[in-house]
Amino acid sequence: MLTKTIEYSIDGKSYAGYLADGSSGRPTAGVLVAHEGGGMTEHPKERARMLAEHGYVAFAMDTFGEPITSREQAMSVIGTLSNDLPTLRKRARTALDLLKKQPNVDASRCAAIGFCFGGTTVLELARSGADLGCIVGFHSGLATIAPQDAKHIRCKVMVCLGLEDPIIPREQRDAFVEEMRAGHVDLQMLLYANAGHSFTNREVDAMGIPGFAYHAQTDQRSWGAMRRFFDEVIGPV
């Protein structure tokens, strides 16, 4: 596996993404990874390496272009981007283009995954009409200010959610299902009992936020569901 930091710029702002290449020099599928509201922590880098271990080329994008040092800062940045979809989508598109340009990536076989706000990010990438085989959101924010853009989604969509997630309640799930139905999107929604928010992140327990907890069984099950989805849509590696 080869890993490296890739620095890039969008509209004069600097970003630093993380590439993990498990291709062994042969053409393979590429996967874009979008991080949680905490920014470019070890979590998205670990997931990129896990994908590389499976044989993919994975690029963990830097959505914010700045370190996150407090929950208040994270909520401010998330709020701003959630209401400025052209900027959020441009950042995701730029990162996807960087992934597709990597020498061992088959640009016709690409997917995107995201965690928490990263799930929101890849959903907005899909709503922009990006050329992807599929996207997967883990404990993904589902709400958008532009639900009408679901008609532009060209890829298959999977979201993996905890039934005990306090920030993605039933009402948000139901609204998302109706949005996807109206857009004629190929959707899978997987719901996991006993899991809350950030169930893939081992670091979240230390934050002590009610309803946020790592859940090993759900982490493993949802990752396995993603692998099977990838095999179906972008082919095995």
Side-chain angles (χ1 to χ4, degrees):
M1 182 194 309
L2 300 175
T3 62
K4 65 178 179 179
T5 298
I6 297 180
E7 297 181 352
Y8 56 104
S9 178
I10 306 173
D11 297 330
K13 187 177 179 70
S14 297
Y15 300 83
Y18 179 83
L19 186 80
D21 185 341
S23 68
S24 299
R26 58 183 173 76
T28 190
V31 184
L32 182 68
V33 180
H35 59 67
E36 292 185 294
M40 184 59 83
T41 63
E42 183 59 25
H43 179 256
K45 296 178 182 179
E46 176 195 51
R47 295 294 156 154
R49 291 192 296 269
M50 289 169 64
L51 288 161
E53 288 171 356
H54 297 320
Y56 300 98
V57 175
F59 182 57
M61 65 177 285
D62 178 2
T63 309
F64 299 156
E66 61 187 85
I68 299 299
T69 58
S70 69
R71 192 178 182 199
E72 291 73 22
Q73 178 194 6
M75 296 308 296
S76 175
V77 172
I78 289 170
T80 297
L81 287 174
S82 295
N83 289 287
D84 184 2
L85 297 185
T87 294
L88 178 60
R89 292 174 180 182
K90 184 175 184 178
R91 292 181 186 183
R93 283 265 196 165
T94 300
L96 177 61
D97 289 343
L98 280 169
L99 170 68
K100 289 186 173 185
K101 290 176 181 176
Q102 297 306 307
N104 298 321
V105 171
D106 179 348
S108 69
R109 298 172 58 212
C110 285
I113 70 172
F115 303 85
C116 181
F117 185 68
T120 303
T121 300
V122 298
L123 280 168
E124 291 301 342
L125 178 62
R127 291 184 183 106
S128 76
D131 184 13
L132 287 162
C134 60
I135 66 165
V136 181
F138 298 89
H139 39 90
S140 170
L142 306 176
T144 180
I145 60 172
Q148 69 278 3
D149 287 350
K151 65 180 179 289
H152 301 306
I153 295 177
R154 302 162 58 189
C155 62
K156 299 180 188 297
V157 174
M158 173 185 284
V159 289
C160 302
L161 307 169
L163 278 175
E164 308 306 321
D165 192 325
I167 66 172
I168 310 172
R170 179 192 297 269
E171 294 77 16
Q172 190 177 136
R173 299 197 305 263
D174 290 348
F176 180 72
V177 168
E178 290 307 312
E179 176 197 347
M180 294 296 105
R181 178 180 290 140
H184 304 287
V185 177
D186 186 329
L187 170 68
Q188 295 182 55
M189 177 180 286
L190 307 184
L191 302 177
Y192 296 92
N194 305 313
H197 197 66
S198 290
F199 58 74
T200 66
N201 192 342
R202 296 180 187 86
E203 302 169 1
V204 75
D205 291 0
M207 299 175 67
I209 304 173
F212 286 54
Y214 177 67
H215 195 261
Q217 184 180 65
T218 301
D219 184 14
Q220 294 163 8
R221 285 177 170 176
S222 60
W223 192 257
M226 177 206 73
R227 293 285 312 282
R228 292 186 293 274
F229 193 40
F230 282 2
D231 285 349
E232 171 195 334
V233 180
I234 59 175
V237 293

